[in-house]
Each structure stands twice: as structure tokens, then as C-alpha cells.
Amino acid sequence: MEFTMIDGELTVLRDGEIEYVFERDSLSRAAYHYMIHWIQDKKTPADDPGTVWLEAEKAWDALSPEMQATLMSIANKERQQACDIRDGLLATLHGYQGIKSIKDAYADCIRTCFNQW
């Protein structure tokens, strides 16, 4: 068993097959990333996912409001930087004079890649 990231979510794999996904749902990006890094540092893929998730939530809640705010601020800056990169790539692609289907495929890839932010 192993941890891996699939579509921006922490996943437990067993023999290459998805066994469990720690879904982000309505959590802020900062909270989710803190929790999945906590899980990767403190737990193993063999641990019970439900219990692990509850412990990760408690670890997030145990942070001071100032630390949570700092992590959220960093996550917001990362998101803004990702949006700026996405917009720059799409603007550059806008000037592409080649085959339209290739241009559209690249645009779809760029949007898909940055949608997880």
C-alpha cells in the first residue's frame, strides 16, 4: 500500500488500485494540504482512513488561529500565482497561428491542469 496524489487528492493505493481517497470536499486548500501532509508524515497507508482523517482534522484544529491564517494566506498567494501562470499560458496560446484543434487541445489541458487550484 502507498500514498499518492491523484487529481489533487491524497489517495491510498493497494497493488496499483485505488483503495481510498481523502476527498477535499468543502475544506479550504490550506486546511486540506496541511492535513494530507500531516497524514503522510505521521501515518501509514495501512492505518484506518476514517480514523486517520479524524486525527488530521484534530491536528488542523489544534493550530492557533494565527497559524491557520498564515497557511491560508500562503495558499491564497499560491492560487493567485497559479491563476497568473494559467492566464499567461492562455494569452500566449491565443497568439498561436497553427492548427485550431491543437490550439484547443492545449487550452483544454491548461484549464484542466489549473482547475485543481
Side-chain angles (χ1 to χ4, degrees):
M1 294 177 68
E2 65 181 297
F3 288 129
T4 191
M5 295 296 290
I6 298 177
D7 294 330
E9 294 184 316
L10 183 63
T11 304
V12 176
L13 295 181
R14 180 191 299 267
D15 299 325
E17 298 292 322
I18 295 174
E19 180 157 312
Y20 188 83
V21 177
F22 294 95
E23 296 177 352
R24 181 174 166 194
D25 294 327
S26 62
L27 284 173
S28 71
R29 183 174 183 279
Y32 183 76
H33 279 271
Y34 177 83
M35 291 166 60
I36 63 172
H37 288 293
W38 184 90
I39 290 169
Q40 290 171 317
D41 288 343
K42 308 279 185 198
K43 299 298 178 179
T44 69
D47 292 330
D48 175 59
T51 302
V52 166
W53 192 249
L54 290 174
E55 291 176 20
E57 286 178 331
K58 287 179 185 176
W60 171 258
D61 291 340
L63 292 175
S64 69
E66 294 81 16
M67 181 56 77
Q68 287 182 356
T70 298
L71 293 172
M72 292 175 96
S73 176
I74 291 168
N76 288 338
K77 288 177 186 174
E78 288 175 343
R79 183 183 187 289
Q80 185 57 53
Q81 289 172 346
C83 289
D84 292 346
I85 292 168
R86 179 202 60 208
D87 294 345
L89 289 169
L90 291 172
T92 300
L93 187 61
H94 181 72
Y96 175 72
Q97 299 297 318
I99 301 170
K100 183 180 177 344
S101 62
I102 292 174
K103 180 178 180 176
D104 293 345
Y106 276 120
D108 287 343
C109 288
I110 292 167
R111 287 186 190 98
T112 300
C113 177
F114 287 96
N115 274 346
Q116 57 187 296
W117 288 88

